[in-house]
Structures are given as C-alpha cells and as structure tokens.
Amino acid sequence: GEKVPAGPCPRSRTRHSAAKADGTYDVCIIGSGAIGAAIARELSKTTASVIMVEAGDDVSQGATKGNSGIVHAGFDDTPGTRRAEFCWKGNQMFPGLDADLHFGYQLTGSLVVAHGPKEEEHLQELIKRGETNGVQNLRIVRGDELFKMEPHLNPEATAALFSPDAGTLIPYEYTIALAENAADNGVEVRIRREVESIDKTDDGLFSVKAKHWEPKSYLESSAEGLGNYYGGVGENGPTESHPELKVMRKKVSVPEMKVGGSGSRAANDGVVVGEEEVRARYVVNAAGGFSDKISAMIGDDSFKVKPRLGEYVLLRKNQGHLCNHILFPCPGPLGKGILVQKTLWGNLILGPTARDVHEWPEGELKDPDSSEEVLGKILRACRHLVAGFDTNESIHSFSGARAKTDRGDWIIEPSPVDSDFIQAAGIDSPGIAGSPAIAVEVVDLLRKAGLQATPDASFNPKRAPIIRP
C-alpha cells in the first residue's frame, strides 16, 4: 500500500510534505520530465527527504511529452560517451519497470533500413558500434525475411539492421508512473513552480526560490466557489482566451517549450499567486531545456542549451498496420533520422525533424521554415520507408524541443562550482532509454557527495494499474 495515507489533495502539489522536522530537505530535484521523475523514484527507495519541483502544469510537460517514445537499444551512440554508457543499461531495465509500474511497454524491435550497398556498409558500422557499447542480439536481415517482417516496406530496401531489444512506450505515461510511485513512497511533488534563484546559505544549504503560478481562469472561477480545474464554461481553460487552440493553430514558442510548452505559465495565462523557498542540502538539475539557466543560478556557465526542434505527424489507428517495427533510415549527421513507427496505442507516427534553433537567422522566436516546408520534409522522408500511408488520416501534429547542449553529450556530473549540485542536464535522445540507469548514477553521485540515504525497507515498487494497453 501507499506510504502516504489517503486524504484530500491540495492543488498543484502532493498532499504530503517530505520536509524534515526543521522544514528542510535532503534533496531538491528541479524538473519532472522522464529524467527528474526517474531520479525521484530511485531516491524514494531510500530514507532521504526529497522534493521535486516543476515549472509546468504537470509532470512530463517538456521534451518528455514531445518525442517518439522509443526505448532505443544504443547501437547508434558514439562509444565512450555518456549516451553509450547508459542507453543499453537503461534499455534492459524497462521490462522490469513496466512489471512494477504498469505504464505500458511493448518490445517491438527496430529496423535500420538500407537502400543499396553504400548504406549497407553503414549497417555494418552500426553493428560494430553496438558491440562496442555492449548491445546484444543485433543482426542483418534482408530479402524474404525482411519483407515478411515488414510487408509494406519500400520495395527498394535491400537490408536492415534488426535490434529486437528496442521498445515503445507512451513517454508521459511512463513519467507519470514514475512520479506517482515516487510520491506514494514519500517524495513531495510541487507543480507550477518556476525556479527563479538558487543561493547557498551560511548553514551549507541551498535556498531554492520559486514562483507559484495558477491559470487565470482557475483563479477567476474559484472566486465563486470550488471551481473547475480550468474553470469557465466546459472547463476549456486556455481555449477561452486562445480560441485558436481549439483547431490546433496555437504555436507554443521555443522559450515556452523550455518551461513546460503547452503546460507553461505563458500558454495557460498563468498568474503568480505566491513565492516559495525550498531549503535542501543537495540539488539535482533535471530541468531539460531550461537546465543551463538553472545551472547559471549557482554561477555554473559550463554549458549552454541549444534546442533542437523535432516535429511529428500522428495518423489514425487505421494506418498502424503499415509497420510492425520501429523503422529508421540510415542515420545522418543530425541524429537517427525521420522514422516511421506504430505507437503503443496503434497509431502511426511520422517524424521527427531535427532543426537547430540556434541556427535560425532571426532567433528562436522567428521560425524560418513554413509549416508546409516542415510537413513536406517529414512526408518525403517517411515515404522512402513506407510509401502507402494516407495523409488524409492525420489527426494531429506536434513538436518538442530537445535539450541539446554545446557540450555534445549528456551532462551527468557534480557541478564544478559546487559538488552538492548534481547536473542531469542536456539529456536528449536516447534519454528515455537511459533514464532509469541515469537515475541510479545520479543517486550514486549524491552519495559520493555525502548524502546519507539508507535503503528504505518500506519501499513499495508496485503501482496499481490504471490503464494497461
């Protein structure tokens, strides 16, 4: 059962506090995407007092919700990098995690598809790279075997690298499951908290100050009574003042994506209702696209986030039969390429692009490419893999801003400015795959920094299933 007894839940936070008797915490995690939530759950296995604060209006509102939901195997990552170190290790943890948390995980396998001898040479390079990274079960498939696996594949495909260990999940369901289980095991969670400053006090604790915001529509409706979650007629919330959202024309800016995207204060007409201080011995920076700004608050300017925008098109479930595995092209200089994939729910998803925002001539608020240009790029690339999908069956498009940095690799380390401040920053693809292994590493770094956190005998790894795909 839950460590926290049932009872009324206050708004925008868990109903319990994890603070110690003096009001302080052992660890404050900033950011509740897949990385922050995984770290929170890992820490909930211990006796540490932990709080997780999030700028958006729920967990998973940043890059976590705007991605493919692929648990990569790790054969594409450059050997010796943090990506290569944690991807395969994390990949192997997912079946056990799903058995405990019931977020829904499907071991679909992936195919990197080659068209011709030159690309087939690259498949051999990927196998060698994968073997160096410890990835198992890789092999080349071709001919009848390939087209039996994927009957609708472009007939010009000549071979593919098959990795049976790649899987699919719904990224926000995964993150919600982690956060719920962490909360059930005592972690305090506060959402709609924008961190604005971090200082070190004379007693050696961090003072993390945050603005607490709520949607304007909620505040207006709650003045008349209890109110609805969003307030107003039909609980439409932001759509009352932004009717373009109803037809999905609202475009969230890149700066807003860094602090929650469609769940950010700006996108929800948020109003600051208070300021809070969290005092903690250690801070973990898992703030995704905003992680460089969080780091700079302690004087650590060792990296800068350079967002890479990725757009997707989602098709109806009647298109899902067109692929059985995650289908990648041979990767290029900007990543794994634009792919075709069946989601956990059976829809077909196309994307993502890889557009570096720092290269936009007029800055991150002025997109140089039209929606038509972006859509055309996605469709052309995906038809090279599977030609037969029907774009009339599209139901949604969305984008996410990946937290790439000028360091070129994941940043998982104590800050050089303060060893009590642990960086879990710049974690782009394959971050979801690596997330459970990254969490283990971060807890180890906290212990090396001095965190006294013994295993908690009352830890309950199980989450009651709500939806099981």
Side-chain angles (χ1 to χ4, degrees):
E2 292 186 20
K3 181 182 297 183
V4 181
C9 189
R11 185 171 173 81
S12 302
R13 56 165 296 166
T14 49
R15 60 178 175 262
H16 65 278
S17 170
K20 294 182 284 189
D22 62 358
T24 68
Y25 300 83
D26 290 320
V27 183
C28 174
I29 302 167
I30 301 173
S32 67
I35 303 302
I39 295 166
R41 181 179 186 262
E42 195 64 28
L43 280 168
S44 77
K45 299 176 181 179
T46 77
T47 56
S49 58
V50 181
I51 182 171
M52 180 167 64
V53 295
E54 164 60 41
D57 69 351
D58 205 344
V59 302
S60 82
Q61 288 286 49
T64 292
K65 74 176 181 183
N67 70 77
S68 310
I70 297 172
V71 178
H72 294 274
F75 54 80
D76 183 46
D77 301 308
T78 302
T81 62
R82 296 298 246 175
R83 291 184 182 88
E85 180 180 356
F86 294 113
C87 186
W88 171 253
K89 190 183 300 183
N91 170 287
Q92 294 296 288
M93 298 169 72
F94 273 87
L97 281 169
D98 186 42
D100 282 342
L101 300 178
H102 306 287
F103 49 82
Y105 178 59
Q106 187 174 17
L107 203 60
T108 55
S110 67
L111 292 166
V112 180
V113 181
H115 297 79
K118 187 174 182 179
E119 291 191 351
E120 287 189 37
E121 289 178 8
H122 191 66
L123 299 186
Q124 296 295 337
E125 293 175 11
L126 289 177
I127 284 185
K128 292 178 183 177
R129 189 180 301 178
E131 290 173 347
T132 301
N133 293 343
V135 180
Q136 300 175 13
N137 306 318
L138 299 173
R139 66 185 182 91
I140 302 293
V141 295
R142 60 179 74 245
D144 291 343
E145 183 183 13
L146 174 59
F147 287 99
K148 185 176 180 180
M149 295 170 73
E150 289 293 343
H152 300 280
L153 192 64
N154 184 336
E156 295 181 359
T158 56
L161 173 60
F162 177 46
S163 174
D165 291 284
T168 298
L169 50 71
I170 304 297
Y172 49 85
E173 295 281 3
Y174 166 61
T175 305
I176 289 168
L178 290 168
E180 283 185 354
N181 189 242
D184 285 347
N185 283 286
V187 172
E188 181 181 341
V189 181
R190 300 186 200 175
I191 60 172
R192 301 191 178 99
R193 266 69 172 186
E194 293 181 343
V195 173
E196 58 179 358
S197 69
I198 306 173
D199 298 298
K200 200 72 174 281
T201 56
D202 292 340
D203 56 4
L205 298 179
F206 287 104
S207 170
V208 180
K209 293 182 179 177
K211 292 180 179 178
H212 173 199
W213 66 271
E214 294 290 343
K216 180 181 178 182
S217 53
Y218 167 77
L219 297 173
E220 291 173 345
S221 66
S222 62
E224 302 172 0
L226 292 178
N228 296 316
Y229 182 79
Y230 284 114
V233 178
E235 300 183 71
N236 285 327
T239 62
E240 295 293 329
S241 55
H242 295 290
E244 66 269 26
L245 281 173
K246 295 180 181 179
V247 290
M248 291 183 283
R249 288 200 299 266
K250 170 77 171 172
K251 188 169 184 178
V252 177
S253 70
V254 172
E256 289 169 1
M257 286 183 181
K258 296 177 182 178
V259 287
S262 59
S264 67
R265 173 158 62 104
N268 285 273
D269 290 333
V271 176
V272 175
V273 296
E275 295 188 1
E276 300 174 353
E277 180 187 26
V278 172
R279 300 182 72 240
R281 178 67 59 184
Y282 305 94
V283 168
V284 175
N285 178 14
F290 203 67
S291 56
D292 58 342
K293 303 295 191 298
I294 296 296
S295 182
M297 291 178 189
I298 68 161
D300 184 350
D301 296 311
S302 60
F303 66 95
K304 296 294 181 185
V305 171
K306 302 167 74 175
R308 176 170 289 173
L309 207 60
E311 289 97 348
Y312 297 84
V313 177
L314 186 67
L315 278 62
R316 290 186 173 87
K317 293 180 182 179
N318 62 12
Q319 301 296 293
H321 69 283
L322 294 173
C323 75
N324 299 316
H325 303 78
I326 304 160
L327 301 180
F328 296 102
C330 277
L334 292 180
K336 298 174 179 65
I338 296 175
L339 59 95
V340 177
Q341 173 197 357
K342 184 191 297 184
T343 71
L344 191 71
W345 299 110
N347 301 80
L348 198 70
I349 190 169
L350 314 175
T353 56
R355 300 194 298 132
D356 286 327
V357 175
H358 68 275
E359 295 180 354
W360 291 2
E362 298 182 52
E364 60 185 18
L365 291 175
K366 180 65 174 177
D367 192 336
D369 299 323
S370 69
S371 298
E372 290 76 15
E373 290 172 328
V374 173
L375 178 62
K377 182 176 182 179
I378 294 173
L379 298 181
R380 285 191 299 273
C382 290
R383 290 202 188 282
H384 193 53
L385 291 168
V386 175
F389 58 82
D390 184 356
T391 55
N392 290 324
E393 297 299 326
S394 63
I395 57 175
H396 190 46
S397 62
F398 63 94
S399 64
R402 299 165 230 171
K404 297 196 76 68
T405 74
D406 55 3
R407 293 268 290 271
D409 195 9
W410 295 348
I411 303 168
I412 307 167
E413 63 190 26
S415 168
V417 170
D418 192 323
S419 60
D420 294 338
F421 187 97
I422 306 299
Q423 305 280 18
I427 299 175
D428 55 353
S429 180
I432 284 183
S435 58
I438 291 169
V440 173
E441 174 72 4
V442 168
V443 173
D444 185 54
L445 290 174
L446 286 166
R447 287 196 169 104
K448 289 177 180 177
L451 175 65
Q452 301 295 315
T454 57
D456 188 344
S458 65
F459 172 73
N460 178 11
K462 301 293 183 180
R463 170 186 181 245
I466 298 174
I467 299 173
R468 182 69 190 219

